[in-house]
Amino acid sequence: FGLVNLKLQAEAVLTKQTEIAVDNMIDNLLYANSKNLALFQEKIMDFVAENGGKILGNVSFSSVPSELMSDLLTAVTRGQKSSSTSEPGDDLKLMRVSELRKQLHDKGLCIDGSR
């Protein structure tokens, strides 16, 4: 059927064409999480990490599942880390979704990650 590849292509288009803004980021984050769209979710997390000053006091995270806070911290940490300060194990913890998917594909493993 090739549904995994179709889903990943649709996610890539959604990620590329959707402009994330302060007023739509929570809705997009909840959607990405509900549909297990890791690449799209990563884009939103990167937006949050880069725009924290605009978001603080203007956006409520009360509807965001607590397990996403770890993903948010990863995005913030990824933005602060330089390759020269990497610690052992950081490669996998801070790896971007596209790089992780590439490595899984190269090893012949499933790259979708759906539940």
Side-chain angles (χ1 to χ4, degrees):
F1 286 90
L3 292 179
V4 169
N5 287 334
L6 179 61
K7 177 190 179 246
L8 294 175
Q9 288 176 0
E11 179 186 10
V13 169
L14 176 68
T15 301
K16 183 177 181 177
Q17 293 185 352
T18 302
E19 185 175 336
I20 306 302
V22 173
D23 63 341
N24 72 11
M25 55 155 275
I26 292 294
D27 290 337
N28 281 311
L29 180 60
L30 294 174
Y31 178 76
N33 185 57
S34 72
K35 301 299 182 192
N36 200 28
L37 303 173
L39 187 64
F40 189 42
Q41 184 173 310
E42 181 179 71
K43 176 181 179 171
I44 300 161
M45 292 294 187
D46 288 345
F47 175 85
V48 172
E50 294 167 7
N51 295 280
K54 295 177 189 174
I55 294 167
L56 278 175
N58 294 314
V59 176
S60 171
F61 283 82
S62 62
S63 61
V64 176
S66 59
E67 65 268 11
L68 291 181
M69 292 303 125
S70 176
D71 294 340
L72 178 56
L73 184 57
T74 298
V76 170
T77 303
R78 187 186 304 120
Q80 293 175 346
K81 286 263 186 194
S82 69
S83 58
S84 62
T85 61
S86 292
E87 296 180 21
D90 277 354
D91 291 345
L92 286 177
K93 288 189 256 179
L94 300 177
M95 189 178 291
R96 304 213 50 95
V97 171
S98 56
E99 180 59 28
L100 180 59
R101 285 179 175 170
K102 181 184 179 316
Q103 287 191 21
L104 289 169
H105 179 266
D106 290 348
K107 294 181 185 222
L109 300 170
C110 180
I111 61 173
D112 179 29
S114 290
R115 297 173 198 156

